[in-house]
Amino acid sequence: MNPSIAQHLHNFTSLGLDELNGKAAMLERLDNKYIIPATRLAPAFDAFRDHFDVLEIDESHAFTYATRYFDCAARSSYYHHHQGRRKRIKVRIRRYVDAGFSYLEVKLKDKRSMTRKKRLKVEYDLQQLDQRCTDFVETCHRSLYGAPFGHRLRPAIEMEYERITLVAKEGGERMTVDTALAFRANDASRAVSPDMFIVETKSARGNGVADKILRGLHLHPTRRCSKYCVGMAALGQVPRHNRFLPALRRLQLVGPA
């Protein structure tokens, strides 16, 4: 964790996981993503402190996430996002490393561009989705879109990062701050500069307290900033990635191209 950011976290009021989920589980929300260097994020934390509490578990504020994304052979999940389709889906198994459990997570967009996330507890070491998992994906897709999913999924890329989670004192809004991102696929790997952060705000209308604070500091959302899509592009897993070039440049990726 960047020392300047870690220092700011000690000034926040802490809360536990149950209290955080009680205030703002945010499985349905509008998201905004920002790519911010540490030098500009540190002042924002001074303003966040008055409005947000920080998740703390075992005296720690930053937690490691390990994620395996799944896509079909045609990379439909990636290309639907690249094309800006309103109806799209992402499927991943995420391991909450410090907590010691994993979920299959299905993220879908509805016609209002609202993100809906569904979860199923699983074992992280699944290299392929079993029948229970594929049935869950199919159910999620049918329940929202009224149509079969119709794709056979296989592992696409893996990534790890550290995450700080802030939740609004008033509830109904949360924010994640990700750093130390590393992407892997086959023999390829890339990492994000440790001084760069991806901040994601999650609120009912997409214009919460955090968005207003960041806007007041002349910090604005970065469009096309899906970590999955950026990782696929950075690792050379797809031939077309022009819509993600601004995010790729801002993240200051290191490692073999």
Side-chain angles (χ1 to χ4, degrees):
M1 175 59 60
N2 182 281
S4 65
I5 301 302
Q7 182 178 4
H8 282 269
L9 292 175
H10 293 297
N11 298 321
F12 281 73
T13 300
S14 298
L15 79 170
L17 186 59
D18 290 341
E19 189 177 359
L20 181 147
N21 288 327
K23 280 189 172 185
M26 305 307 293
L27 297 180
E28 296 185 11
R29 73 281 178 122
L30 286 172
D31 307 332
N32 289 309
K33 293 187 178 75
Y34 304 75
I35 298 176
I36 306 175
T39 53
R40 300 199 65 192
L41 183 58
F45 269 72
D46 289 333
F48 293 154
R49 183 179 63 244
D50 294 332
H51 303 278
F52 289 85
D53 297 330
V54 64
L55 175 64
E56 179 179 314
I57 301 175
D58 296 331
E59 300 184 352
S60 180
H61 296 129
F63 308 98
T64 301
Y65 286 40
T67 306
R68 178 177 295 120
Y69 280 88
F70 294 81
D71 210 337
C72 67
R75 301 300 196 224
S76 295
S77 179
Y78 171 85
Y79 282 113
H80 287 174
H81 200 292
H82 188 275
Q83 295 160 7
R85 290 196 184 185
R86 183 166 293 179
K87 293 181 180 179
R88 60 180 186 259
I89 181 172
K90 288 181 193 164
V91 178
R92 67 195 183 201
I93 292 179
R94 171 172 286 171
R95 182 184 177 198
Y96 297 79
V97 175
D98 302 281
F101 52 76
S102 304
Y103 285 96
L104 170 68
E105 299 184 343
V106 181
K107 291 182 69 175
L108 310 102
K109 288 283 188 180
D110 67 16
K111 60 184 179 181
R112 300 168 297 162
S113 295
M114 183 81 73
T115 298
R116 297 193 182 190
K117 185 166 75 172
K118 308 294 183 180
R119 306 200 303 178
L120 177 71
K121 201 163 189 178
V122 297
E123 296 297 326
Y124 180 71
D125 59 3
L126 284 175
Q127 296 299 315
Q128 300 289 340
L129 298 181
D130 58 21
Q131 191 63 48
R132 175 171 171 258
C133 292
T134 56
D135 288 347
F136 183 75
V137 174
E138 182 72 24
T139 298
C140 293
H141 194 276
R142 283 180 178 272
S143 65
L144 184 59
Y145 300 139
F149 178 56
H151 296 286
R152 184 175 180 179
L153 297 174
R154 61 186 187 184
I157 63 170
E158 298 185 4
M159 69 181 70
E160 290 187 3
Y161 50 87
E162 292 183 359
R163 168 166 288 185
I164 300 162
T165 301
L166 306 179
V167 61
K169 293 179 181 290
E170 300 291 327
E173 180 181 348
R174 68 194 290 178
M175 173 173 35
T176 57
V177 182
D178 297 340
T179 187
L181 283 89
F183 307 107
R184 296 187 306 276
N186 302 319
D187 295 328
S189 63
R190 300 292 301 277
V192 173
S193 168
D195 291 330
M196 300 303 296
F197 293 77
I198 297 180
V199 176
E200 184 172 352
T201 62
K202 312 164 197 287
S203 61
R205 295 181 175 84
N207 187 29
V209 173
D211 296 289
K212 294 173 183 175
I213 289 172
L214 293 169
R215 191 164 58 242
L217 294 170
H218 307 289
L219 296 167
H220 302 284
T222 301
R223 298 190 64 192
R224 310 289 183 182
C225 191
S226 157
K227 286 191 286 294
Y228 169 61
C229 294
V230 167
M232 290 286 282
L235 294 171
Q237 300 299 299
V238 287
R240 287 184 288 139
H241 58 263
N242 55 298
R243 292 196 174 189
F244 303 110
L245 285 175
L248 285 166
R249 293 190 187 106
R250 296 196 67 184
L251 284 171
Q252 301 178 21
L253 287 156
V254 297

